[in-house]
Amino acid sequence: DAEGTWLLHQKLVELLKEKGWLKSGHSLYDYYVLHMREFGHVLTDMERRGIRVNAKDYLASVEVQARKDREEHSRIFREWAARKIGIDGMALNPASSTQLATFLFGGALNKKTGQRSESVRVFKVPREEIPEDGLKAFEKIEASKRAKEESDPQSDQLDKMTAVQLKALCKEQGLKVSGKKAELQDRLREHFLTAPTEPEEEDEFDEMTDAEIEQTLVARGLHPSGTPEG
């Protein structure tokens, strides 16, 4: 180990001397000697002897501040994510490597397999794991939707149907079943608005006089009052 460390040191010195530093003919090895070597001594001394720290007061206060900083930075990150992918970004867990990989690198090409990673994934997040600001954002949107439904007289049953139900209705009406939910709704609305309505059948009794109606009732074995004759 000692010999390997020495050989590695010699190689690094050689490489640093080949790298120029500034424009005065100095190398990166000169930079190391001037600025880094003494710092390295300090680090080795710290590792060997340890560091005296006021654990009772200082570390406790640092931990409190660190937790506050983490919450604040997580909030900023989620708000940024929400601007990119919508309200679902407010429920994104920055500690989840799977969620982060999908969000940041989804759809990227894997050079080894030649395939692209999933660009869209659905993650079931328990309510208790969604931060308070995320819950408030979701509740605000739901309240807005309810208010819109109540105030919009044009809102119909299609808005309340699932994609599966919409596709079934499209099939029943002889329409294409492909497309997203909004496309299915638009297709059905256009169909119902433009489809010809069947004319109502005329009632034969509408143009008859009272006397003619009474005669017809008698001929059909009914009393003129409308009840069967006994």
Side-chain angles (χ1 to χ4, degrees), residues 53-71 73:
V53 177
N54 183 346
K56 181 179 179 181
D57 299 323
Y58 177 72
L59 285 186
S61 63
V62 169
E63 181 182 6
V64 171
Q65 185 60 44
R67 291 181 182 277
K68 290 181 179 179
D69 291 343
R70 182 179 63 182
E71 292 178 1
H73 294 311

Side-chain angles (χ1 to χ4, degrees), residues 155-161 166 185 189:
S155 179
D156 52 33
Q157 291 298 319
L158 296 178
D159 291 325
K160 301 176 182 179
M161 296 175 68
L166 291 168
Q185 291 172 331
R189 289 192 180 99

Side-chain angles (χ1 to χ4, degrees), residues 173 175 185-198:
Q173 298 295 322
L175 304 173
Q185 291 172 331
D186 292 341
R187 189 176 302 148
L188 285 165
R189 289 192 180 99
E190 182 178 0
H191 171 72
F192 289 131
L193 288 173
T194 58
T197 56
E198 297 182 1

Side-chain angles (χ1 to χ4, degrees), residues 103-212:
F103 172 57
L104 297 174
F105 308 109
L109 180 65
N110 187 321
K111 294 183 179 180
K112 292 184 179 180
T113 64
Q115 297 179 344
R116 294 190 177 277
S117 61
E118 294 179 285
S119 58
V120 178
R121 290 187 63 179
V122 177
F123 297 94
K124 294 184 178 180
V125 182
R127 182 181 179 87
E128 59 270 15
E129 292 184 10
I130 301 178
E132 189 66 25
D133 55 348
L135 288 174
K136 290 181 178 179
F138 282 111
E139 291 171 356
K140 183 177 180 180
I141 287 183
E142 289 301 320
S144 176
K145 287 182 179 179
R146 288 194 297 269
K148 183 178 180 181
E149 291 177 356
E150 294 172 357
S151 62
D152 185 5
Q154 300 300 323
S155 179
D156 52 33
Q157 291 298 319
L158 296 178
D159 291 325
K160 301 176 182 179
M161 296 175 68
T162 65
V164 175
Q165 293 171 326
L166 291 168
K167 288 183 178 181
L169 185 56
C170 283
K171 186 176 181 181
E172 179 182 321
Q173 298 295 322
L175 304 173
K176 290 170 55 178
V177 297
S178 60
K180 297 181 180 179
K181 183 175 180 179
E183 294 173 336
L184 297 172
Q185 291 172 331
D186 292 341
R187 189 176 302 148
L188 285 165
R189 289 192 180 99
E190 182 178 0
H191 171 72
F192 289 131
L193 288 173
T194 58
T197 56
E198 297 182 1
E200 295 183 1
E201 295 183 1
E202 294 183 358
D203 193 331
E204 59 179 313
F205 299 107
D206 288 342
E207 299 179 0
M208 297 173 65
T209 64
D210 293 343
E212 290 173 335

Side-chain angles (χ1 to χ4, degrees), residues 213-230:
I213 293 175
E214 290 178 0
Q215 292 176 4
T216 302
L217 290 172
V218 172
R220 296 183 181 183
L222 298 173
H223 191 274
S225 64
T227 58
E229 289 186 338

